[in-house]
Amino acid sequence: MKNKSNNTDFDVIQIGYGPVSKISALLLARQGWKVGVFERWGEVYPLPRAVCIDHEIFRMMHAA
């Protein structure tokens, strides 16, 4: 992941960028929040870090 912004003024700072965090960042950004995401790995982490992903999370991912 590359830094796409030189602006460091964020409304929300999110640590980690797994599948659930992607949805969180997307939904916050759609509400007008400036979201800064920080991930320690160089590539997107492909597996969920939350306890589980159920049908409601998949529904939200699809809607987003």
Side-chain angles (χ1 to χ4, degrees):
M1 266 186 293
K2 299 287 183 190
N3 183 4
K4 295 182 180 180
S5 173
N6 291 332
N7 186 359
T8 57
D9 185 23
F10 301 114
D11 297 315
V12 177
I13 294 178
Q14 186 168 292
I15 308 300
Y17 200 54
V20 176
S21 297
K22 289 178 191 178
I23 298 301
S24 172
L26 176 64
L27 294 175
L28 286 166
R30 285 187 177 175
Q31 293 293 319
W33 295 86
K34 291 180 1 184
V35 182
V37 178
F38 297 89
E39 171 61 59
R40 70 177 170 170
W41 304 108
E43 296 182 12
V44 175
Y45 193 75
L47 302 173
R49 297 179 197 173
V51 175
C52 68
I53 294 181
D54 63 7
H55 67 284
E56 283 297 311
I57 298 297
F58 279 120
R59 182 186 63 77
M60 288 181 65
M61 292 170 100
H62 182 71

